[in-house]
Amino acid sequence: AVNYHYGSREGLEDTLLTYYVEPLNRERIELLDALEAEFGATPAPIERIIETMVKPVIRNLGEGSIAGIFFLKLMARCIDEHDHALPDSILKPYKRAVSRYVAAIRRTFPGLSEKTIVWRIHFIFGAVNHALANGQNLYNISLGRSGATNPDYILRSVIAFASAGFLAGEIDSLDAPAS
């Protein structure tokens, strides 16, 4: 039945990913538009920019719903499987969103290269996905010291963590080996 309706297992995965990603990216852009309207010509604070980027995901998927957990696991699997590229239906909205965020962050940090900004956005997406998909593992590993998975705490933690990454400034050369 999957092959009949979706062409393959990957076709079903692509349909499900698109179902979740489209509204999240649309909300991200709406929040970023509102933030930019609020600040006008003044660069928005990085914490607020990051909040518009991650809040839709954490709020919508961080509440532990079966559908949200399924989406996170499916997204992680697609990212981990190098032979399964994300479909154009997901890449196109992500490309638009990333371009908008790069521009907003460049206004706040004009000294950062686009390359550095894109990598840090990538790290943010990874941190959010990991935190949401593996909160229970953290709880178990930390013997409960991490506390129960709480979307508001995850949101504040990711914003603080990611903001510090941007505040670190430009890396001398991304092409030079780490010392």
Side-chain angles (χ1 to χ4, degrees):
V2 168
N3 284 346
Y4 177 77
H5 290 287
Y6 302 100
S8 66
R9 184 191 83 210
E10 289 80 13
L12 173 61
E13 291 171 352
D14 294 350
T15 299
L16 290 170
L17 289 172
T18 301
Y19 175 80
Y20 282 102
V21 169
E22 269 298 325
L24 292 175
N25 275 334
R26 191 170 34 255
E27 185 177 356
R28 281 179 172 133
I29 297 303
E30 289 169 2
L31 290 171
L32 184 59
D33 286 343
L35 180 67
E36 291 176 334
E38 176 185 341
F39 281 88
T42 304
I46 191 62
E47 296 84 0
R48 297 279 306 277
I49 295 170
I50 293 168
E51 181 180 9
T52 69
M53 187 185 309
V54 301
K55 189 174 185 174
V57 177
I58 292 172
R59 191 187 66 248
N60 288 307
L61 302 177
E63 297 173 354
S65 70
I66 298 297
I69 292 167
F70 173 75
F71 167 76
L72 290 168
K73 291 187 182 298
L74 179 61
M75 190 68 164
R77 183 171 158 239
C78 288
I79 291 168
D80 288 343
E81 287 185 5
H82 300 292
D83 63 331
H84 184 104
L86 292 175
D88 281 342
S89 58
I90 292 174
L91 285 177
K92 285 179 185 176
Y94 267 137
K95 288 176 183 178
R96 281 193 301 273
V98 167
S99 292
R100 287 289 311 282
Y101 280 103
V102 167
I105 294 167
R106 290 281 317 258
R107 282 191 294 281
T108 301
F109 293 104
L112 288 181
S113 69
E114 286 190 11
K115 187 174 189 178
T116 295
I117 293 170
V118 168
W119 271 102
R120 292 183 187 168
I121 290 170
H122 178 69
F123 295 146
I124 292 169
F125 288 156
V128 169
N129 289 340
H130 188 74
L132 293 175
N134 296 294
Q136 187 61 45
N137 288 337
L138 175 61
Y139 182 84
N140 293 337
I141 290 167
S142 71
L143 304 174
R145 289 186 298 263
S146 67
T149 302
N150 175 311
D152 291 329
Y153 184 80
I154 292 171
L155 176 63
R156 289 191 317 268
S157 296
V158 168
I159 291 170
F161 176 78
S163 297
F166 283 106
L167 292 169
E170 185 67 54
I171 296 172
D172 290 335
S173 173
L174 289 176
D175 299 320
S179 50

